[in-house]
Amino acid sequence: MQWLMTRVLAGVAAVVAVLVGAGALLGFQAAGRPAQWAVSQGSDAAWVGSWEDTGPLAAVLDTGGVDTVYVHAGDIAADGSVERVPDTGALLSWLAQGYPEVRALAWLRHEVTGSSLLRDRFDADAREVLASEAPAVAADGFDGLHLEIRPVTVNDPSLPELVGMVDEGLGEGAVLSVQAQHVELVPGARVPSFVLGREEKYWSKGYLDRVTGHADEVVLPGVDSGMPMGLLYEGFMVRQVTEGVSALAHREGVAVRFGLPAHTSDRWGPSTSSESLETALSGVRLGLTRAEPPEGMVLGVALYLADETGADDLAAYTSEWLSP
């Protein structure tokens, strides 16, 4: 019994040490000033629902910084089938008429609770179903696909294979965007997070590269960080940028975006007081400055727009990113 307690206490101490170390790292990351070049390239994106009131979306597109929208087009079931969202055609027609230069990607979501070290997120049959249905959704007036599948455990072989199958089905010219999970803040930090949360929150840099190997664009989320303070959230975003760019730096022509919390409800993700758009942008700019991304890598941000983005968020996006 004493031997067991010693092992348990040692494990707890190791988790605490990792958490304390990660906190200190994030606090340090938030120090410094961003470079003048670490600003918008005009290649930003926004997640949008399929609703008829296009006022909030128009306000974002009128800034001129967003060239891609992820239109919620369907939800992916466990068997790989897609339940389509109705009336996406109305939004696509509105975009084509008012903003013909903006690309629309079909945003397909699969979100569940919990992940397993033993069970693939999608079995072989489900992968076949989704690989056939997803391109069919994209062909319905979209410029490509944006896949959001989470949570997925590191080294789960089903997701990299699925992304490759979907890419093959899309054909030439269509854009494939993949929404990743957070990159672990330090090597090994995903392990205590998995133990405590009973699902995979972080991906290793190697798995991020593996999953997105067939993707044209990659999005790292900027919400649900779990950071209790704005300073730690800023450091968290710095680390997401530096680690994400490092993992994908060898990929010629890939576009990498970082999510910004521009929503006030929990419809598309948690909304917390420590996660603000202004703080996230400060972290992204600092991260880009430190990462020194390779020439040719397209970098941008993505706004969690949904159907309620306030004037303050748009002002911060404009002043802190488009023309700081």
Side-chain angles (χ1 to χ4, degrees):
M1 179 64 69
Q2 184 177 359
W3 174 85
L4 178 60
M5 286 301 298
T6 300
R7 282 297 186 91
V8 170
L9 291 175
V12 172
V15 170
V16 171
V18 169
L19 295 178
V20 171
L25 171 67
L26 296 182
F28 173 78
Q29 293 290 307
R33 296 176 62 86
Q36 291 185 342
W37 58 261
V39 294
S40 172
Q41 299 177 355
S43 300
D44 299 331
W47 286 272
V48 297
S50 298
W51 67 92
E52 294 183 4
D53 180 9
T54 51
L57 178 57
V60 171
L61 296 180
D62 285 342
T63 66
V66 172
D67 67 359
T68 301
V69 293
Y70 310 130
V71 179
H72 185 217
D75 293 301
I76 304 168
D79 65 359
S81 61
V82 177
E83 181 181 354
R84 295 199 187 194
V85 172
D87 298 329
T88 56
L91 183 55
L92 292 176
S93 297
W94 178 86
L95 280 170
Q97 182 176 0
Y99 303 91
E101 74 284 358
V102 175
R103 301 178 308 170
L105 305 186
W107 171 20
L108 302 183
R109 307 183 81 216
H110 175 82
E111 181 181 2
V112 294
T113 300
S115 54
S116 171
L117 294 172
L118 303 176
R119 180 174 55 85
D120 293 345
R121 175 55 67 203
F122 290 104
D123 62 24
D125 291 339
R127 294 195 293 273
E128 290 288 348
V129 171
L130 183 53
S132 64
E133 292 198 15
V137 176
D140 195 16
F142 293 93
D143 297 296
L145 280 175
H146 175 68
L147 289 179
E148 178 189 7
I149 299 172
R150 60 187 178 94
V152 177
T153 303
V154 166
N155 295 327
D156 179 335
S158 68
L159 187 56
E161 180 180 345
L162 173 63
V163 172
M165 294 169 67
V166 170
D167 178 55
E168 185 176 354
L170 278 175
E172 189 174 354
V175 176
L176 177 57
S177 171
V178 174
Q179 183 167 335
Q181 292 175 205
H182 298 302
V183 185
E184 58 184 351
L185 304 176
V186 293
R190 47 168 286 272
V191 176
S193 172
F194 182 89
V195 172
L196 294 174
R198 297 191 176 183
E199 68 178 29
E200 193 79 88
K201 177 179 176 64
Y202 297 100
W203 283 353
S204 66
K205 292 165 63 174
Y207 191 63
L208 170 65
D209 184 33
R210 182 181 169 195
V211 169
T212 62
H214 291 277
D216 304 295
E217 304 180 357
V218 180
V219 185
L220 289 169
V223 298
D224 195 20
S225 67
M227 297 296 113
M229 301 166 49
L231 178 66
L232 295 181
Y233 175 58
E234 183 176 357
F236 176 90
M237 291 301 295
V238 171
R239 197 66 176 169
Q240 290 303 294
V241 174
T242 57
E243 295 300 280
V245 170
S246 173
L248 303 174
H250 67 98
R251 299 267 300 282
E252 185 176 352
V254 68
V256 185
R257 297 189 176 100
F258 305 94
L260 302 179
H263 63 296
T264 56
S265 77
D266 291 341
R267 184 181 180 192
W268 306 121
S271 177
T272 66
S273 60
S274 64
E275 298 180 356
S276 71
L277 186 144
E278 190 170 4
T279 302
L281 281 173
S282 178
V284 169
R285 294 191 65 202
L286 277 172
L288 291 177
T289 301
R290 294 200 179 125
E292 298 182 353
E295 186 176 352
M297 176 178 276
V298 178
L299 295 157
V301 296
L303 295 94
Y304 288 87
L305 176 65
D307 51 0
E308 71 298 295
T309 293
D312 290 343
D313 283 332
L314 285 178
Y317 170 68
T318 300
S319 63
E320 301 299 324
W321 181 245
L322 296 183
S323 55

